[in-house]
Amino acid sequence: MYNINLLLQKMLKSLLLIWTCQGIYSFNLDYEYTVFKQGPADSLFGFSVTEYNSGSKAWIIVGAPLANSSYLKGSDHLNSGGIYKCDPASPSSDCSQVSDQIMFDDKDNNGQETKAGQWLGVSLDTYGIGQPIIGCAHRYINHLNGNYRLLEGKCWTIGSDFSPIGEVDPCRKRNEEEKSSNLNHQVYGWCQAGIGLKAIDETEIGHRYLVGAIGSKDFVGTVFLDVDGDLSETYVNVSASWVDSYFGYSVAYGNFFSSNVKGFASGGPRHQSFGKVLLYNDVKSNMPTQELPEIFDEFQIASGFGIALCAIDSDNNMFSELIVGAPFYAESTSIYNHGKVYVYEKSFKMNKLVLIKELYGNRDGVSDVNAHFGYALANAGDLNKDGFPDLVVGAPYENNGQGAVYVFQGAKSGLITKYSQYIVASSVMSGLTKRSLNVPLKAFGRSLATGFDMDNNGYNDVLVGAYASNQVVLLRSRPVIEVHIKVTFTPENINISDRHCSVDGKLTPCFNMTFCYNFTERNANIYKNTDTIPIKYTIIADAIQRPRINFFKNGKNKISETRLTSKDLKCIALNLYFVSNKDGVIQIYPDITFEVMYSIPYGENEFPKPDASNKDVVSLDKYPRLD
């Protein structure tokens, strides 16, 4: 909304017209024209997701931990899990298993391993554009020496052509180092590597990984690090009070303590029933630098503090905030498992991370019960091209298990604590229903991936898993435009004694308004100068009083028109006149205010939406959002 104040100068009996402005916008993730993919029934398709760019094409990569393998022999194929690739540009909801994963496997088994129920696809990540994908199966069983069945877990790397590269099996290496009498849960026998996973692609160190192993050392848990080709792991406190902590359940990597040296964090959501996060100031560290939180409040017991972690520099200060999810956090005994997200950042005065903000989802006390807000976190990069990275938070069981996704904007002051966009599964389902895709999304928001532009419009998109209904949804970002308005008045100073315009046979003061408009785009690669977008402009004269000014065009104080707007500046002329009261007097107090509002009239005659029944992947380039 724009405001024009007409400041009255009583002594000069004239009006000085001053223009001030304030914009209106909505966030730019689209939920009406999503890309939808369906996996096999009962496969947990969507339990993990990652966006991938092979260097020549974008792909949706999905983990389905209970899928039957199309390639393993014998009973090993049952519920072994699978990694799927899906084409985001295809209207088909079908996906295909990555076939070359069989080359990692012992086809004949020979009693060396058990892959049935291994949960391949429990976690996924990618090293970057054109770089490998890594996927894990934390329940993979190794039959060491034919005598021991060890729940080690295992990960595999896949190339950009979806061919195999290698294996990541840190627990096997540790078990081979142990004596045969020491292969139990108290060491690495139930290691379960792969629930927590972070792929690292750094110029100075190349491809490295962080793999969490929650079952090591009596389920205290650890994080394995591949550093300079050597395998190391974080120190494990084996005291009784640390048993069943599950450290390594989540991992994050960022500039927590230094702007030029990256460290990492490890989540232990079951530590002493409260949950704890261990921070390490360098990727080569194995002793924690700091433990979080330092103080627990009464609601944090069994909150799952540390189930999800994320690093994001939302204020561009070269230091990462650590985002910690606690999805079982309860605000009261009646609002249980609502969930909460904690934001930590380094205090230079204290030289450690401190809690700076807390984030919440919908808090209506009804739909948010059991929401599990904070179960998934993702650094989305700069979704709306305002110059600051944004955070996406999943609440997969909100609204009776349907789920929801929240977007929190980055800013110069850091993350804005009020969410900027709130997308519920029912809104996504409504859009799918119009395309004859009647799908009941469940656990929408249990997994998240973002950071890539999947439709080549220059904006990052958000991939959301809904494993309970075996589905994934790609929420694409619409372009963002900024509308610019310039207004001039003739004459600049209006003498209300100069009544030279005739209205209904009476003379009255009048003046002219020149209204100019154009738009710019945040990502200046989509629209040409000649491209136009319908913008609906509404101008209200003297909005807060009984009208004292009308437009000649319609004899009213309000005018509304939809005009084709481009990058080139266009102008229209509007003529206005003053309205006298019944005594013929023009009231000059209080100040006269003009309000100008604009919007994109989606769905109106001037700008129809895309055909709702069109099952093709609709381009969003011509359907921007306003800043």
Side-chain angles (χ1 to χ4, degrees):
M1 180 177 71
Y2 290 82
N3 296 319
I4 310 167
N5 290 326
L6 302 180
L7 301 182
L8 302 178
Q9 298 179 331
K10 183 177 180 181
M11 293 182 64
L12 298 178
K13 295 185 179 180
S14 64
L15 299 173
L16 177 64
L17 285 72
I18 297 177
W19 175 264
T20 62
C21 59
Q22 179 182 359
I24 300 174
Y25 78 99
S26 59
F27 209 76
N28 61 315
L29 272 185
D30 178 78
Y31 54 85
E32 291 184 276
Y33 302 96
T34 59
V35 177
F36 167 79
K37 303 298 178 183
Q38 178 75 56
D42 302 319
S43 66
L44 303 189
F45 179 89
F47 194 87
S48 64
V49 292
T50 193
E51 296 178 344
Y52 184 60
N53 190 316
S54 66
S56 59
K57 179 173 175 52
W59 291 95
I60 293 170
I61 308 298
V62 185
L66 291 186
N68 293 330
S69 172
S70 302
Y71 310 103
L72 293 175
K73 291 186 175 182
S75 61
D76 247 2
H77 83 285
L78 296 173
N79 300 130
S80 62
I83 298 172
Y84 289 76
K85 62 177 182 178
C86 318
D87 186 353
S90 170
S92 171
S93 61
D94 295 337
C95 302
S96 60
Q97 271 194 27
V98 177
S99 60
D100 288 322
Q101 68 191 40
I102 182 60
M103 297 182 68
F104 301 135
D105 301 322
D106 178 358
K107 295 182 182 181
D108 298 318
N109 198 331
N110 294 324
Q112 298 302 309
E113 56 189 3
T114 297
K115 293 198 170 184
Q118 68 176 347
W119 276 59
L120 176 61
V122 70
S123 60
L124 290 168
D125 203 2
T126 175
Y127 289 99
I129 296 176
Q131 302 301 316
I133 301 166
I134 183 169
C136 298
H138 75 296
R139 296 182 62 82
Y140 165 87
I141 296 176
N142 174 31
H143 300 186
L144 186 63
N145 300 326
N147 298 317
Y148 301 95
R149 291 176 177 259
L150 307 177
L151 193 66
E152 293 176 339
K154 191 174 182 178
C155 306
W156 291 267
T157 52
I158 304 167
S160 60
D161 59 352
F162 299 103
S163 62
I165 295 178
E167 301 176 349
V168 178
D169 51 359
C171 297
R172 173 175 292 192
K173 294 180 181 179
R174 287 291 186 262
N175 282 320
E176 288 174 348
E177 295 168 357
E178 294 288 338
K179 296 179 180 180
S180 59
S181 61
N182 200 22
L183 295 172
N184 56 34
H185 66 279
Q186 292 179 332
V187 192
Y188 300 99
W190 290 2
C191 200
Q192 299 185 63
I195 290 185
L197 174 66
K198 180 61 181 177
I200 303 169
D201 182 26
E202 298 285 359
T203 303
E204 63 272 17
I205 63 174
H207 295 156
R208 297 291 181 261
Y209 59 79
L210 301 172
V211 176
I214 64 170
S216 64
K217 302 292 183 69
D218 226 356
F219 292 92
V220 174
T222 189
V223 175
F224 287 99
L225 306 93
D226 175 15
V227 181
D228 298 329
D230 296 326
L231 183 68
S232 66
E233 63 180 288
T234 55
Y235 167 77
V236 177
N237 185 334
V238 295
S239 64
S241 63
W242 284 60
V243 169
D244 291 329
S245 290
Y246 282 28
F247 282 107
Y249 193 95
S250 58
V251 290
Y253 177 71
N255 295 94
F256 302 120
F257 295 97
S258 169
S259 61
N260 53 19
V261 177
K262 289 189 175 180
F264 65 98
S266 168
R270 293 185 60 176
H271 178 75
Q272 296 181 9
S273 298
F274 287 91
K276 184 182 284 292
V277 174
L278 303 179
L279 284 140
Y280 302 80
N281 62 3
D282 190 305
V283 73
K284 297 182 180 181
S285 301
N286 61 5
M287 293 294 292
T289 306
Q290 186 179 351
E291 300 177 5
L292 295 173
E294 296 180 339
I295 300 174
F296 291 100
D297 65 49
E298 61 180 308
F299 295 114
Q300 286 179 314
I301 188 168
S303 70
F305 181 89
I307 273 185
L309 299 176
C310 179
I312 183 173
D313 182 11
S314 68
D315 53 4
N316 291 335
N317 71 348
M318 305 298 290
F319 285 82
S320 304
E321 297 106 299
L322 176 65
I323 315 299
V324 182
F328 311 132
Y329 177 90
E331 291 195 316
S332 68
T333 55
S334 61
I335 306 177
Y336 49 88
N337 295 341
H338 166 81
K340 183 177 180 179
V341 170
Y342 299 81
V343 182
Y344 294 88
E345 189 173 31
K346 180 179 178 180
S347 164
F348 292 94
K349 182 178 180 180
M350 303 175 70
N351 197 32
K352 65 179 182 179
L353 269 66
V354 297
L355 179 65
I356 60 170
K357 293 177 182 178
E358 297 174 348
L359 307 179
Y360 296 90
N362 173 36
R363 303 167 81 178
D364 63 10
V366 180
S367 63
D368 58 327
V369 173
N370 256 334
H372 292 185
F373 174 83
Y375 216 124
L377 305 168
N379 179 347
D382 187 3
L383 286 174
N384 63 344
K385 298 294 182 182
D386 66 349
F388 297 95
D390 306 307
L391 176 71
V392 183
V393 180
Y397 305 112
E398 190 171 308
N399 293 308
N400 296 315
Q402 291 183 351
V405 167
Y406 295 81
V407 179
F408 293 84
Q409 276 188 264
K412 188 175 181 179
S413 59
L415 287 171
I416 299 171
T417 55
K418 175 64 178 178
Y419 49 82
S420 298
Q421 192 167 14
Y422 170 41
I423 300 174
V424 296
S426 58
S427 296
V428 176
M429 288 188 285
S430 177
L432 293 171
T433 299
K434 293 177 182 177
R435 292 150 54 194
S436 300
L437 294 170
N438 298 312
V439 291
L441 288 172
K442 295 180 181 178
F444 174 77
R446 172 58 180 81
S447 58
L448 297 168
T450 184
F452 283 102
D453 172 19
M454 302 293 283
D455 56 359
N456 295 317
N457 70 348
Y459 292 79
N460 289 348
D461 305 304
V462 177
L463 183 59
V464 185
Y467 79 94
S469 52
N470 305 292
Q471 295 148 347
V472 297
V473 174
L474 179 64
L475 303 173
R476 295 176 295 154
S477 293
R478 294 191 182 193
V480 178
I481 64 171
E482 301 178 27
V483 173
H484 306 280
I485 295 174
K486 180 181 179 181
V487 174
T488 56
F489 297 95
T490 306
E492 291 184 1
N493 293 307
I494 302 170
N495 188 338
I496 60 174
S497 298
D498 183 8
R499 304 192 178 201
H500 61 279
C501 291
S502 178
V503 178
D504 295 332
K506 297 180 180 180
L507 293 177
T508 187
C510 58
F511 62 96
N512 300 319
M513 170 192 291
T514 302
F515 184 85
C516 301
Y517 52 91
N518 71 330
F519 75 81
T520 56
E521 57 175 311
R522 289 273 179 86
N523 181 45
N525 298 318
I526 297 177
Y527 302 105
K528 300 176 182 178
N529 287 347
T530 55
D531 289 339
T532 59
I533 297 171
I535 306 290
K536 186 175 185 178
Y537 300 95
T538 299
I539 307 173
I540 304 175
D542 205 13
I544 62 174
Q545 292 288 319
R546 183 176 179 179
R548 291 169 288 174
I549 294 178
N550 283 342
F551 292 92
F552 274 104
K553 189 169 186 177
N554 60 4
K556 299 179 181 179
N557 74 317
K558 177 180 178 181
I559 191 168
S560 183
E561 294 182 359
T562 298
R563 307 196 67 84
L564 294 177
T565 305
S566 68
K567 289 184 175 181
D568 293 330
L569 190 67
K570 298 179 181 178
C571 299
I572 58 173
L574 297 169
N575 302 316
L576 303 95
Y577 63 91
F578 285 87
V579 179
S580 304
N581 63 17
K582 61 181 181 180
D583 299 320
V585 176
I586 296 175
Q587 299 290 335
I588 61 174
Y589 294 110
D591 295 342
I592 296 175
T593 300
F594 280 53
E595 292 183 358
V596 179
M597 296 170 285
Y598 61 85
S599 62
I600 299 177
Y602 288 123
E604 299 183 14
N605 292 334
E606 301 93 336
F607 201 1
K609 291 184 177 182
D611 182 2
S613 63
N614 186 355
K615 295 183 180 181
D616 292 337
V617 177
V618 175
S619 172
L620 300 177
D621 289 357
K622 301 302 180 183
Y623 300 90
R625 291 292 190 189
L626 293 172
D627 172 54

